[in-house]
Amino acid sequence: MSEQIQQELDVDRFTLGLVGPDQEWAGTVADGGTVRTHTPPACWGPMITPEFRGGHEVTRPIRVENAEPGDALVVHIKDVEVTSVATSTGSMAEREDAFGSDPFVDHRCPECGTEWPDSVVEGTGEDAIRCAECRANASSFGFEFGYTVAFDEDRSVGLTVGPDGAADLAERADEAMALPDNSRQHPILLYKPDEIPGMLGHLRPFIGNIGTTPSVEFPDSHNAGDFGQFLIGADHDWGLSDESALDARTDGHLDSNDVRPGATLICPVEIDGAGLYVGDLHANQGDGELSLHTTDVSGRTELEVSVIKDLDIDGPLLLPNESDLPDIAKPYTDAEREAGEALAAEHHVDDVIDAAPLQIIGSGATINDATENAFARAGTLFGMSEGEVRARCTFTGGVEIARLPGVVQLSMLAPMDLLEERGLAATVREQYDL
C-alpha cells in the first residue's frame, strides 16, 4: 500500500470479486480529496468468468485520510460516464453442474472439477467460456431471456438489436464493452442474446456497487442483506453460520438508480481508512431491477470524499438529487414555511419543526425485512421508536424499492435539531442548498 496521501487519486485496479480488510489497497486519498475510477462491468461479466469469487469486479479498496471505525465517509458523486458502446443483459438461467452451493461464488468446472478454473474464450455464444484445463463449458450462467443493447454516441438512449447486430458486437466484445486494461472478466456481449429487437430505452447512468469495506470478507455482490442470504449455511470459504453474521455487511451493493451524479452517499466506516470501493456501473435501471440484472457497463466516475468523525451508523444514508426525492420528502419552500407558521398560530402550536430530507438504506431477505431493517437503523440514528419512524415516514416520506428482493430507501424529513446532534446537518444543508 502506498502511504502517500494524494489530493487526487486515480484507481484502475480491481479485485477478483471480494471485498474485505485483506484486499490490497489502491492508494490513499486526502480527507476532502477526489477519487476517479474507470471500472469494468459487473454482474454478467464476472458471473460468466469462473475465476471470480463474487458477482462483480469492483476497485481495490481506497484508503481515506482520517477515517477510523465509528466514523462515516461522505461520498459526493460528481460524475458518471459510460464508456461502453453496448452491453447484453436479461434474466439468468443457472448451469447447476458448474457450481457448488452458490453460482455467483463457488465455481467449478463441470467436467474436470477444478475450482475457480482459469478460462479461455472459444468463439461466441453461451458455450464460449471454456475451462483452460479440459476445454469444457465452465460458465455458471446462461440467459433465460436475454437481449443486447447498443448505445448512441451521447449515451442518452439505447436500442435493442437483432441477431445480426448482436453477432457483430460479439465479434468485437472487448472493444465494444471498453474493458479497462486490468479487467479480468469475459465480456457478456460474447453471449450475443437477441430478443426484443427494436426497443428504445432512456439511459440514466448510476453506480450499482459503492461503499466501504466490511470488517470481514464478503463476495462483493453479497455485501447486502438480500444477496447475503445465500452465504448463510453455504459450504464454501465465505459461508456464514447464521443471520447475525450478516450484520458485518456495509451494504455497498445497493443497485439504487438514485446513486447518480449530484447525489451524496454517507457510508459507515468499519476499518481504518474506510476502504471505499466502486463498481457495477449501470447505463439505466427501472426501480427494483426486476430482472435481477440490468445494463452493466464500463465507465468512469469522479467522487469527492470527506470524513464525519464519530458518526456511528450501521448502514448507508443517501441524499439523492432533490428531483429524485418523493414529493412529500422534498425540502420546504418559503411559501410552505409561511403557510406552516400561519397554521401554527391558528392552532396554538408553539414551533414549526425545521426538517430536511434524508434516506436510510435498509436491506434484508425480502422487501418487508429490508424495510424493518431501515426502521431499526432510523430509530437507532435518531433515538426514535419504530412507531415514530413509521409516523414520520408516512407523513413526510415513504419507502422506495432499490432492488428486489430486499434493498429499500426509507425517506423522511428529519428534524434539523436531530441532524445537528448527529453531525449530519452541514452535509444535508450543502446537498439541498438550505
Side-chain angles (χ1 to χ4, degrees):
M1 179 197 75
S2 171
E3 294 292 346
Q4 181 181 2
I5 299 173
Q6 301 184 56
Q7 190 64 35
E8 298 184 359
L9 179 66
D10 293 304
V11 179
D12 64 353
R13 291 189 179 272
F14 318 104
T15 77
L16 204 60
L18 297 171
V19 292
D22 295 330
Q23 292 295 314
E24 184 176 353
W25 292 94
T28 303
V29 68
D31 183 357
T34 298
V35 174
R36 297 186 182 91
T37 70
H38 185 199
T39 57
C43 290
W44 279 107
M47 282 165 51
I48 65 170
T49 307
E51 296 96 313
F52 277 78
R53 273 69 166 168
H56 293 163
E57 188 173 15
V58 299
T59 64
R60 290 179 181 176
I62 299 153
R63 179 182 288 274
V64 181
E65 178 191 23
N66 296 328
E68 301 172 306
D71 297 338
L73 185 67
V74 179
V75 184
H76 298 288
I77 302 168
K78 309 301 288 186
D79 191 33
V80 178
E81 175 195 358
V82 175
T83 55
S84 300
V85 300
T87 192
S88 296
T89 189
S91 50
M92 64 193 189
E94 299 172 359
R95 296 183 60 244
E96 295 185 0
D97 53 349
F99 63 92
S101 58
D102 188 328
F104 296 93
V105 177
D106 56 338
H107 303 147
R108 66 188 180 204
C109 176
E111 291 195 13
C112 70
T114 302
E115 294 182 333
W116 299 290
D118 291 338
S119 57
V120 296
V121 174
E122 295 183 353
T124 60
E126 291 196 9
D127 61 353
I129 311 302
R130 299 281 175 166
C131 172
E133 292 293 324
C134 71
R135 293 302 197 267
N137 183 354
S139 172
S140 296
F141 292 98
F143 282 113
E144 183 271 331
F145 187 97
Y147 52 99
T148 294
V149 185
F151 307 137
D152 71 329
E153 185 175 351
D154 295 333
R155 310 304 194 271
S156 62
V157 296
L159 182 73
T160 55
V161 302
D164 291 344
D168 172 65
L169 288 164
E171 292 295 336
R172 50 189 179 95
D174 282 30
E175 174 192 358
M177 296 214 74
L179 293 181
D181 290 342
N182 295 315
S183 174
R184 289 172 284 182
Q185 66 178 263
H186 298 306
I188 189 57
L189 282 172
L190 289 169
Y191 272 24
K192 58 183 182 186
D194 57 20
E195 301 192 78
I196 58 171
M199 182 71 68
L200 187 65
H202 305 282
L203 302 186
R204 194 175 79 161
F206 69 97
I207 308 171
N209 200 339
I210 176 171
T212 46
T213 296
S215 58
V216 300
E217 190 170 72
F218 283 96
D220 50 16
S221 51
H222 293 38
N223 183 22
D226 54 353
F227 271 63
Q229 299 294 317
F230 298 127
L231 302 177
I232 299 172
D235 185 21
H236 55 65
D237 291 346
W238 301 276
L240 302 177
S241 57
D242 53 36
E243 181 80 26
S244 65
L246 195 52
D247 290 343
R249 71 187 190 271
T250 57
D251 276 344
H253 186 197
L254 298 176
D255 282 335
S256 166
N257 55 20
D258 293 334
V259 182
R260 66 186 186 94
T264 297
L265 189 65
I266 304 171
C267 306
V269 175
E270 301 294 339
I271 66 169
D272 283 329
L276 174 68
Y277 65 89
V278 183
D280 191 25
L281 272 59
H282 298 163
N284 73 346
Q285 177 197 295
D287 291 351
E289 197 177 20
L290 300 179
S291 291
L292 296 183
H293 305 287
T294 187
T295 47
D296 307 322
V297 290
S298 299
R300 303 183 188 277
T301 72
E302 181 176 330
L303 315 166
E304 291 182 1
V305 298
S306 58
V307 177
I308 299 178
K309 300 300 291 184
D310 301 319
L311 175 58
D312 190 10
I313 53 177
D314 58 0
L317 307 172
L318 180 61
L319 303 175
N321 288 280
E322 184 173 333
S323 60
D324 291 337
L325 286 164
D327 285 342
I328 65 172
K330 292 181 178 179
Y332 304 123
T333 65
D334 289 343
E336 288 168 340
R337 292 176 187 276
E338 291 176 9
E341 294 292 346
L343 284 168
E346 179 182 354
H347 295 283
H348 314 292
V349 176
D350 293 335
D351 296 298
V352 177
I353 297 171
D354 192 15
L358 183 72
Q359 288 187 339
I360 298 93
I361 301 297
S363 74
T366 68
I367 291 299
N368 285 349
D369 292 328
T371 305
E372 288 289 346
N373 178 242
F375 289 155
R377 287 175 169 176
T380 299
L381 179 65
F382 292 124
M384 296 177 183
S385 67
E386 183 175 317
E388 182 176 353
V389 171
R390 286 175 176 265
R392 289 184 179 276
C393 294
T394 298
F395 188 51
T396 69
V399 65
E400 299 172 88
I401 299 173
R403 178 182 67 238
L404 294 175
V407 179
V408 301
Q409 299 158 227
L410 182 69
S411 301
M412 72 159 66
L413 285 169
M416 191 59 74
D417 61 343
L418 293 180
L419 293 172
E420 292 277 8
E421 183 181 308
R422 296 297 278 125
L424 288 164
T427 303
V428 173
R429 287 194 178 102
E430 178 185 3
Q431 177 70 16
Y432 298 113
D433 196 24
L434 301 177

